[in-house]
Amino acid sequence: SAAVWGSVTLWNWRPHGVVDADMVGVLEDLLSGRGDADDPTTARLLGTLGVELAFGPDDRGVRAAQRAVEMARRIGEPELLGRTLNNFCLAVWGRPGAAELRLAATDEALALAARGLPRRTEFMAHLHRAAIRLHLGDLAGFAATVDAVGGIDVDVAIIGAGAAGLGAAHALRGSGLSLIVLEGRDGAGKDGTIKRITEHLSVRATRV
């Protein structure tokens, strides 16, 4: 459940400058019992730890995210590699050389587009790439990336897989329209995600 917070997204889910020491402790405890063998869950936990430490004072988060990417490359699953590359983009944000590192990560992710990369991950990679190009003053590159996003050809894009988003998708079934539902987490709907994480925690010792 802890790794769900490391799913593909555009922004860090923590307020700027905040590191949740409790969540970092949970992730480090989970990783301490997993060993060094290549494993998808380990890669997801490492990537999540990288994002959790993105605003930390040292490079522990960057190193965790880099380990996640390297492990995902060896495992060879496009969905996992796309996710960990997204984690890496967030972990290095604001650090020296971040723009070039993030651009390389998004390029690597987008190279997986025809090999099993989820459409949501592809879309997020394009958004990251557009922001980086704009940051670097590359207006032609920015325009090309925006055009590429437009090349993801669907009739309807629904933002958010909560009750309203899924209700809209259900209502469009049978309409003949192609659609994509974009959700920033691996689970559909924040209520379900929160329930999965908190159902086994003590209500006296945990605040959500």
Side-chain angles (χ1 to χ4, degrees):
S1 295
V4 74
W5 298 109
S7 54
V8 174
T9 187
L10 187 59
W11 308 116
N12 193 314
W13 52 84
R14 301 294 179 198
H16 189 270
V18 172
V19 175
D20 187 328
D22 291 337
M23 181 59 79
V24 169
V26 167
L27 291 165
E28 289 179 335
D29 284 348
L30 290 169
L31 285 164
S32 68
R34 299 197 63 85
D36 296 324
D38 292 343
D39 177 81
T41 299
T42 301
R44 291 186 182 95
L45 289 169
L46 283 167
T48 304
L49 179 62
V51 181
E52 284 289 351
L53 289 169
F55 296 126
D58 52 36
D59 66 349
R60 282 193 304 149
V62 175
R63 286 187 279 115
Q66 183 63 55
R67 283 184 60 201
V69 170
E70 291 168 356
M71 187 174 292
R73 286 174 181 149
R74 292 191 295 270
I75 292 171
E77 295 178 3
E79 180 276 332
L80 180 65
L81 181 53
R83 171 190 165 125
T84 56
L85 287 165
N86 180 267
N87 294 154
F88 180 76
C89 281
L90 297 173
V92 300
W93 204 315
R95 297 180 184 272
E100 291 76 14
L101 291 170
R102 291 173 58 220
L103 190 60
T106 57
D107 286 348
E108 184 176 352
L110 289 170
L112 302 169
R115 291 186 280 154
L117 186 73
R119 297 294 290 276
R120 176 168 61 91
T121 307
E122 179 186 355
F123 185 77
M124 290 294 180
H126 279 300
L127 293 182
H128 275 280
R129 197 172 190 276
I132 300 162
R133 287 297 188 189
L134 197 58
H135 172 76
L136 293 173
D138 180 3
L139 298 183
F142 170 77
T145 302
V146 171
D147 288 342
V149 174
I152 300 177
D153 189 17
V154 293
D155 296 315
V156 180
I158 297 173
I159 310 300
L166 293 178
H170 181 76
L172 288 169
R173 290 180 62 190
S175 67
L177 297 172
S178 62
L179 64 91
I180 184 171
V181 179
L182 300 171
E183 170 57 49
R185 306 286 178 222
D186 282 344
K190 63 181 182 295
D191 292 338
T193 299
I194 292 169
K195 183 177 185 297
R196 285 196 303 277
I197 291 172
T198 60
E199 62 186 348
H200 301 298
L201 302 178
S202 168
V203 295
R204 295 188 298 274
T206 306
R207 185 180 68 184
V208 177

PDB file of all heavy atoms in Angstrom, residues 104-118:
ATOM      1  N   ALA A 104      16.231  13.672 -20.156  1.00  0.00           N
ATOM      2  CA  ALA A 104      16.688  12.338 -20.551  1.00  0.00           C
ATOM      3  C   ALA A 104      15.728  11.259 -20.062  1.00  0.00           C
ATOM      4  O   ALA A 104      15.446  10.283 -20.773  1.00  0.00           O
ATOM      5  CB  ALA A 104      18.091  12.090 -19.998  1.00  0.00           C
ATOM      6  N   ALA A 105      15.193  11.446 -18.844  1.00  0.00           N
ATOM      7  CA  ALA A 105      14.252  10.466 -18.292  1.00  0.00           C
ATOM      8  C   ALA A 105      12.948  10.430 -19.083  1.00  0.00           C
ATOM      9  O   ALA A 105      12.399   9.355 -19.360  1.00  0.00           O
ATOM     10  CB  ALA A 105      13.974  10.774 -16.821  1.00  0.00           C
ATOM     11  N   THR A 106      12.440  11.607 -19.451  1.00  0.00           N
ATOM     12  CA  THR A 106      11.198  11.622 -20.225  1.00  0.00           C
ATOM     13  C   THR A 106      11.411  11.058 -21.620  1.00  0.00           C
ATOM     14  O   THR A 106      10.550  10.353 -22.160  1.00  0.00           O
ATOM     15  CB  THR A 106      10.616  13.048 -20.328  1.00  0.00           C
ATOM     16  OG1 THR A 106      11.588  13.931 -20.908  1.00  0.00           O
ATOM     17  CG2 THR A 106      10.220  13.581 -18.961  1.00  0.00           C
ATOM     18  N   ASP A 107      12.568  11.330 -22.215  1.00  0.00           N
ATOM     19  CA  ASP A 107      12.861  10.759 -23.532  1.00  0.00           C
ATOM     20  C   ASP A 107      12.903   9.229 -23.461  1.00  0.00           C
ATOM     21  O   ASP A 107      12.391   8.537 -24.352  1.00  0.00           O
ATOM     22  CB  ASP A 107      14.201  11.284 -24.055  1.00  0.00           C
ATOM     23  CG  ASP A 107      14.123  12.728 -24.536  1.00  0.00           C
ATOM     24  OD1 ASP A 107      13.000  13.241 -24.681  1.00  0.00           O
ATOM     25  OD2 ASP A 107      15.194  13.337 -24.742  1.00  0.00           O
ATOM     26  N   GLU A 108      13.522   8.704 -22.394  1.00  0.00           N
ATOM     27  CA  GLU A 108      13.588   7.251 -22.223  1.00  0.00           C
ATOM     28  C   GLU A 108      12.191   6.662 -22.047  1.00  0.00           C
ATOM     29  O   GLU A 108      11.873   5.603 -22.613  1.00  0.00           O
ATOM     30  CB  GLU A 108      14.468   6.893 -21.031  1.00  0.00           C
ATOM     31  CG  GLU A 108      14.654   5.402 -20.850  1.00  0.00           C
ATOM     32  CD  GLU A 108      15.607   5.038 -19.721  1.00  0.00           C
ATOM     33  OE1 GLU A 108      16.255   5.952 -19.159  1.00  0.00           O
ATOM     34  OE2 GLU A 108      15.706   3.834 -19.394  1.00  0.00           O
ATOM     35  N   ALA A 109      11.356   7.351 -21.270  1.00  0.00           N
ATOM     36  CA  ALA A 109       9.992   6.866 -21.066  1.00  0.00           C
ATOM     37  C   ALA A 109       9.201   6.875 -22.366  1.00  0.00           C
ATOM     38  O   ALA A 109       8.512   5.907 -22.704  1.00  0.00           O
ATOM     39  CB  ALA A 109       9.284   7.706 -20.004  1.00  0.00           C
ATOM     40  N   LEU A 110       9.303   7.958 -23.122  1.00  0.00           N
ATOM     41  CA  LEU A 110       8.525   8.077 -24.352  1.00  0.00           C
ATOM     42  C   LEU A 110       8.982   7.084 -25.416  1.00  0.00           C
ATOM     43  O   LEU A 110       8.206   6.724 -26.299  1.00  0.00           O
ATOM     44  CB  LEU A 110       8.597   9.505 -24.880  1.00  0.00           C
ATOM     45  CG  LEU A 110       7.830  10.525 -24.031  1.00  0.00           C
ATOM     46  CD1 LEU A 110       8.143  11.949 -24.469  1.00  0.00           C
ATOM     47  CD2 LEU A 110       6.338  10.260 -24.097  1.00  0.00           C
ATOM     48  N   ALA A 111      10.236   6.626 -25.323  1.00  0.00           N
ATOM     49  CA  ALA A 111      10.710   5.604 -26.256  1.00  0.00           C
ATOM     50  C   ALA A 111      10.002   4.270 -26.046  1.00  0.00           C
ATOM     51  O   ALA A 111      10.047   3.395 -26.906  1.00  0.00           O
ATOM     52  CB  ALA A 111      12.219   5.424 -26.102  1.00  0.00           C
ATOM     53  N   LEU A 112       9.320   4.137 -24.894  1.00  0.00           N
ATOM     54  CA  LEU A 112       8.587   2.913 -24.591  1.00  0.00           C
ATOM     55  C   LEU A 112       7.134   2.967 -25.063  1.00  0.00           C
ATOM     56  O   LEU A 112       6.382   2.016 -24.847  1.00  0.00           O
ATOM     57  CB  LEU A 112       8.603   2.664 -23.073  1.00  0.00           C
ATOM     58  CG  LEU A 112       9.968   2.537 -22.407  1.00  0.00           C
ATOM     59  CD1 LEU A 112       9.802   2.561 -20.880  1.00  0.00           C
ATOM     60  CD2 LEU A 112      10.660   1.263 -22.849  1.00  0.00           C
ATOM     61  N   ALA A 113       6.745   4.062 -25.703  1.00  0.00           N
ATOM     62  CA  ALA A 113       5.330   4.289 -26.017  1.00  0.00           C
ATOM     63  C   ALA A 113       4.712   3.182 -26.857  1.00  0.00           C
ATOM     64  O   ALA A 113       3.538   2.852 -26.688  1.00  0.00           O
ATOM     65  CB  ALA A 113       5.157   5.634 -26.707  1.00  0.00           C
ATOM     66  N   ALA A 114       5.474   2.600 -27.738  1.00  0.00           N
ATOM     67  CA  ALA A 114       4.930   1.547 -28.602  1.00  0.00           C
ATOM     68  C   ALA A 114       5.235   0.150 -28.071  1.00  0.00           C
ATOM     69  O   ALA A 114       5.003  -0.839 -28.764  1.00  0.00           O
ATOM     70  CB  ALA A 114       5.490   1.694 -30.015  1.00  0.00           C
ATOM     71  N   ARG A 115       5.766   0.089 -26.841  1.00  0.00           N
ATOM     72  CA  ARG A 115       6.192  -1.205 -26.296  1.00  0.00           C
ATOM     73  C   ARG A 115       5.528  -1.525 -24.961  1.00  0.00           C
ATOM     74  O   ARG A 115       6.105  -2.218 -24.130  1.00  0.00           O
ATOM     75  CB  ARG A 115       7.717  -1.221 -26.155  1.00  0.00           C
ATOM     76  CG  ARG A 115       8.432  -1.245 -27.487  1.00  0.00           C
ATOM     77  CD  ARG A 115       9.931  -1.397 -27.303  1.00  0.00           C
ATOM     78  NE  ARG A 115      10.564  -0.133 -26.953  1.00  0.00           N
ATOM     79  CZ  ARG A 115      11.708  -0.038 -26.275  1.00  0.00           C
ATOM     80  NH1 ARG A 115      12.309  -1.126 -25.836  1.00  0.00           N
ATOM     81  NH2 ARG A 115      12.240   1.135 -26.028  1.00  0.00           N
ATOM     82  N   GLY A 116       4.337  -0.971 -24.740  1.00  0.00           N
ATOM     83  CA  GLY A 116       3.604  -1.327 -23.531  1.00  0.00           C
ATOM     84  C   GLY A 116       3.542  -0.249 -22.469  1.00  0.00           C
ATOM     85  O   GLY A 116       3.033  -0.496 -21.372  1.00  0.00           O
ATOM     86  N   LEU A 117       4.051   0.953 -22.752  1.00  0.00           N
ATOM     87  CA  LEU A 117       3.941   2.041 -21.790  1.00  0.00           C
ATOM     88  C   LEU A 117       2.479   2.457 -21.663  1.00  0.00           C
ATOM     89  O   LEU A 117       1.820   2.721 -22.671  1.00  0.00           O
ATOM     90  CB  LEU A 117       4.774   3.246 -22.247  1.00  0.00           C
ATOM     91  CG  LEU A 117       4.875   4.413 -21.252  1.00  0.00           C
ATOM     92  CD1 LEU A 117       5.789   4.031 -20.093  1.00  0.00           C
ATOM     93  CD2 LEU A 117       5.404   5.662 -21.954  1.00  0.00           C
ATOM     94  N   PRO A 118       1.925   2.524 -20.441  1.00  0.00           N
ATOM     95  CA  PRO A 118       0.523   2.951 -20.295  1.00  0.00           C
ATOM     96  C   PRO A 118       0.296   4.346 -20.871  1.00  0.00           C
ATOM     97  O   PRO A 118       1.187   5.210 -20.794  1.00  0.00           O
ATOM     98  CB  PRO A 118       0.307   2.930 -18.777  1.00  0.00           C
ATOM     99  CG  PRO A 118       1.303   1.945 -18.268  1.00  0.00           C
ATOM    100  CD  PRO A 118       2.504   2.117 -19.150  1.00  0.00           C
TER     101      PRO A 118
END
